[in-house]
Amino acid sequence: MANPKVSGLAGYSKLDLKRLPAHVAIIMDGNGRWAKGRGLPRVMGHRAGIQSVRAVVEAARELSIRVLTLYAFSVENWKRNPQEVKTLMRLLNEYLRRELPTLMANEIRLNVLGDVSGLPPGVQEELERVLAKTRANDKMVLNLALNYGARAEILQAAGRVAAEVKAGRLKESELTEAAFSRFLYTDGQPDPDLLIRTSGEHRISNFLLWQISYAELYLTPRLWPDFGKADFLAALLEYQGRERRFGA
Ligand code: FPP
């Protein structure tokens, strides 16, 4: 994606570009198993997973998908081996530092879903820098879910709603679904139309519980480091073959 003018759309000929999802969310899973299968330490799987991150960001941007959300670190992930957590944080820092020029060249705005204050100070600093620099970019939003848990997100939203009602700034009768959504980390964004999970697991794992109410699910056995543009394309094609009824 070094040169944003060179389009890689050639492989997308079967897609209906008018019916693409506005928001794609991905649970990137299987890095550990990918590494284990090669006799490598788990962290090598995370490192290899960054290539897949690059590939899907590039594909989403080429297709003018408005929002891409990647589940990079959950509130539960702190329970992992401290060395693995440390490496994940280092990889994240490295990714942010390296990817800033690409985000700028492709007019992608970075956004974080989650409690940033719980991240190591070095990561917070790098995030703040990239968030500030990319703030005015408006071609695509890249949401990184970091220190994210959907229940925690809903709980903090409920707390803020209660405070607003108490202060008289919000009437209980005005609390619609749309009004509540404004207190979530995804404020102002369309809900995911498509949720992808790799590595053959059939779980939601505390991810975007409110926002995925009507999302189409695409579950693939492919391990995240093996997931590339062709897999992303396959997910989009399957999405386009589905009939969405929104409960009707
Ligand atoms: C799940 O695989 C993956 C993660 C917990 C972290 C995802 C992180 C990356 C892809 C790299 C860093 C991300 C960015 C955005 C730079 P797992 O470890 O649970 O795999 P397993 O289920 O096979 O053990």
Side-chain angles (χ1 to χ4, degrees):
M1 200 160 49
N3 182 352
K5 296 205 176 64
V6 178
S7 170
L9 283 174
Y12 303 126
S13 57
K14 286 193 219 116
L15 276 179
D16 177 351
L17 298 179
K18 291 194 198 70
R19 286 193 314 115
L20 285 168
H23 184 168
V24 179
I26 309 183
I27 302 177
M28 310 181 286
D29 196 10
N31 295 349
R33 275 163 283 168
W34 182 91
K36 197 174 170 205
R38 285 165 177 72
L40 297 168
R42 291 177 55 81
V43 293
M44 293 303 284
H46 298 315
R47 186 169 278 287
I50 292 181
Q51 292 309 323
S52 303
V53 169
R54 289 207 181 93
V56 294
V57 170
E58 184 173 323
R61 176 63 184 86
E62 282 169 356
L63 288 165
S64 301
I65 286 172
R66 281 158 56 201
V67 186
L68 176 69
T69 300
L70 303 177
Y71 203 2
F73 195 87
S74 74
V75 288
E76 288 85 12
N77 285 153
W78 297 110
K79 294 179 205 147
R80 293 192 175 199
N81 175 312
Q83 203 51 48
E84 183 177 343
V85 171
K86 207 170 154 194
T87 305
L88 270 170
M89 291 299 146
R90 192 165 46 75
L91 287 176
L92 183 64
N93 229 342
E94 212 175 283
Y95 172 80
L96 292 169
R97 213 161 357 96
R98 288 219 183 123
E99 244 29 46
L100 179 60
T102 308
L103 298 178
M104 294 310 292
N106 291 280
E107 297 168 85
I108 299 170
R109 177 160 71 84
L110 182 77
N111 186 51
V112 180
L113 313 184
D115 180 7
V116 178
S117 72
L119 296 167
V123 176
Q124 286 188 43
E125 268 167 43
E126 199 56 41
L127 273 173
E128 270 156 31
R129 194 172 78 89
V130 179
L131 289 171
K133 291 238 185 220
T134 63
R135 187 152 290 147
N137 293 348
D138 61 359
K139 292 288 190 287
M140 183 173 105
V141 176
L142 172 61
N143 286 325
L144 286 188
L146 289 169
N147 196 18
Y148 176 85
R151 286 185 173 184
E153 177 186 34
I154 294 169
L155 208 54
Q156 66 80 32
R160 282 169 54 214
V161 164
E164 289 296 293
V165 171
K166 199 172 163 200
R169 287 191 293 266
L170 180 72
K171 291 201 198 86
E172 206 182 320
S173 59
E174 291 167 350
L175 190 58
T176 58
E177 291 183 7
F180 188 79
S181 295
R182 291 203 291 272
F183 293 87
L184 299 171
Y185 295 127
T186 46
D187 176 25
Q189 301 180 358
D191 285 337
D193 305 289
L194 173 64
L195 172 67
I196 298 172
R197 181 166 190 151
T198 59
S199 93
E201 304 296 348
H202 295 189
R203 284 191 294 276
I204 300 298
S205 301
N206 201 14
F207 191 45
L208 302 174
L209 293 180
W210 173 281
Q211 297 91 333
I212 59 165
S213 294
Y214 296 103
E216 292 294 323
L217 307 183
Y218 180 83
L219 307 167
T220 167
R222 188 87 76 209
L223 302 175
W224 179 249
D226 290 328
F227 191 91
K229 265 191 184 183
D231 300 288
F232 191 64
L233 177 63
L236 294 174
L237 280 170
E238 175 154 335
Y239 167 84
Q240 291 196 331
R242 302 226 188 130
E243 186 195 353
R244 299 185 78 198
R245 296 154 61 112
F246 298 93

